[in-house]
Amino acid sequence: MDPESVERGLAGLVLTVVELLRQLMERQALRRVDEGGLSDDQVEQLGLTLMALEDRMAELREHFGLSEDDLNIDLGPLGPLLRRD
């Protein structure tokens, strides 16, 4: 095995888990916003934090030469792991 492909594969797996958690956090944040349980400042900070996390994920994908599709593991009959809106 080529060390570079091992590193890329491991990075892909880790980034897939991080992306899954990022999407779950984003959905939870949207639910909280919709329920009105956050102040305007909290909504603003939440939005900035989620945008920064998404930007950082894009940087990491680029660094390891991965696309968004590379992180979306096919679970066979269950479909893809990550939801794309």
Side-chain angles (χ1 to χ4, degrees), residues 38-68:
L38 301 174
S39 70
D40 289 344
D41 287 339
Q42 288 173 318
V43 171
E44 178 72 19
Q45 186 61 43
L46 188 57
L48 293 172
T49 300
L50 290 172
M51 287 190 303
L53 182 55
E54 189 170 353
D55 289 345
R56 185 65 177 134
M57 284 294 296
E59 290 172 14
L60 289 168
R61 281 193 315 269
E62 184 178 326
H63 176 78
F64 289 104
L66 299 166
S67 70
E68 286 184 17

Side-chain angles (χ1 to χ4, degrees), residues 1-64:
M1 290 194 124
D2 168 18
E4 188 173 309
S5 72
V6 170
E7 179 182 80
R8 186 173 183 267
L10 181 58
L13 179 60
V14 170
L15 290 178
T16 297
V17 171
V18 171
E19 177 63 14
L20 177 62
L21 292 172
R22 187 195 70 76
Q23 286 185 15
L24 292 172
M25 287 173 30
E26 186 175 289
R27 284 186 221 132
Q28 180 63 27
L30 290 174
R31 273 194 283 278
R32 290 183 68 195
V33 168
D34 289 343
E35 291 171 358
L38 301 174
S39 70
D40 289 344
D41 287 339
Q42 288 173 318
V43 171
E44 178 72 19
Q45 186 61 43
L46 188 57
L48 293 172
T49 300
L50 290 172
M51 287 190 303
L53 182 55
E54 189 170 353
D55 289 345
R56 185 65 177 134
M57 284 294 296
E59 290 172 14
L60 289 168
R61 281 193 315 269
E62 184 178 326
H63 176 78
F64 289 104

Side-chain angles (χ1 to χ4, degrees), residues 72-84:
N72 201 359
I73 298 170
D74 182 7
L75 300 175
L78 297 175
L81 175 66
L82 302 173
R83 187 173 99 181
R84 298 287 180 218

